[in-house]
């Protein structure tokens, strides 16, 4: 397969300690004009699609968040991850009648926000 997107830079590998470095080395960052739903980024397996450009210097909260999802995919496997993600989202959407609330309640999103928050606090401490 042709090389697709870019790898993480050394600064990024140093910064984004939300996943194992060996896994981070396999990640591809792909810039796209937009992501469905108007989100800034979306991750499938080890492919991170970003709708807005980020500096490759390890300072992007968005990329830290998406890399947490890369780790979740790695732990769960892609089909089961997507199944669990949607199985949380759609019943909540019906119940809450609010797309954003249902999205934010997905356990994978809750964890990604928590881990990104911890990452930010570690960075401040450096
Ligand atoms: Zn997310």
């Amino acid at each position: 397969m042709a090389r697709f997107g870019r790898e993480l830079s050394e600064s990024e590998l140093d910064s984004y300690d939300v996943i194992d470095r060996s896994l981070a080395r396999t990640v591809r960052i792909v810039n796209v004009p937009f992501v469905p739903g108007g989100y800034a980024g979306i991750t499938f397996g080890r492919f991170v699609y970003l709708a807005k450009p980020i500096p490759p210097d390890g300072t992007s909260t968005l990329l830290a968040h998406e890399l947490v999802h890369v780790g979740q995919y790695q732990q769960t496997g892609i089909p089961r991850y997507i199944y669990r993600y949607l199985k949380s989202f759609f019943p909540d959407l019906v119940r809450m009648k609010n797309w954003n609330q249902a999205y934010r309640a997905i356990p994978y999103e809750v964890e990604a926000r928590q881990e990104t928050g911890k990452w930010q606090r570690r960075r401040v401490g450096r």
Side-chain angles (χ1 to χ4, degrees):
M1 193 179 127
R3 290 174 75 80
F4 190 48
R6 70 167 178 85
E7 298 177 342
L8 296 188
S9 69
E10 285 302 315
S11 313
E12 287 173 323
L13 291 170
D14 288 342
S15 174
Y16 300 122
D17 56 0
V18 294
I19 54 173
D20 286 347
R21 198 180 179 95
S22 56
L23 178 59
R25 283 192 183 285
T26 71
V27 168
R28 309 294 298 189
I29 310 294
V30 184
N31 285 107
V32 290
F34 69 94
V35 167
Y39 294 103
I42 192 164
T43 296
F44 290 107
R46 59 191 186 81
F47 288 89
V48 176
Y49 298 87
L50 298 179
K52 63 178 188 187
I54 57 153
D57 59 1
T59 62
S60 168
T61 305
L62 170 63
L63 184 50
H65 177 104
E66 296 304 328
L67 291 174
V68 175
H69 289 316
V70 170
Q72 293 166 340
Y73 273 105
Q74 167 82 1
Q75 281 199 335
T76 313
I78 293 174
R80 187 171 293 133
Y81 176 93
I82 292 171
Y83 173 75
R84 288 182 184 169
Y85 195 100
L86 298 178
K87 193 175 139 224
S88 165
F89 177 69
F90 283 110
D92 276 354
L93 181 61
V94 169
R95 195 167 54 83
M96 298 172 173
K97 299 182 175 61
N98 183 305
W99 184 282
N100 197 47
Q101 271 182 25
Y103 161 74
R104 291 181 61 82
I106 296 166
Y108 288 130
E109 294 299 340
V110 172
E111 184 185 51
R113 288 198 303 275
Q114 287 170 345
E115 292 306 311
T116 303
K118 290 182 199 165
W119 169 79
Q120 284 179 305
R121 290 190 286 280
R122 286 197 295 278
R123 280 179 50 76
V124 170
R126 262 179 219 165

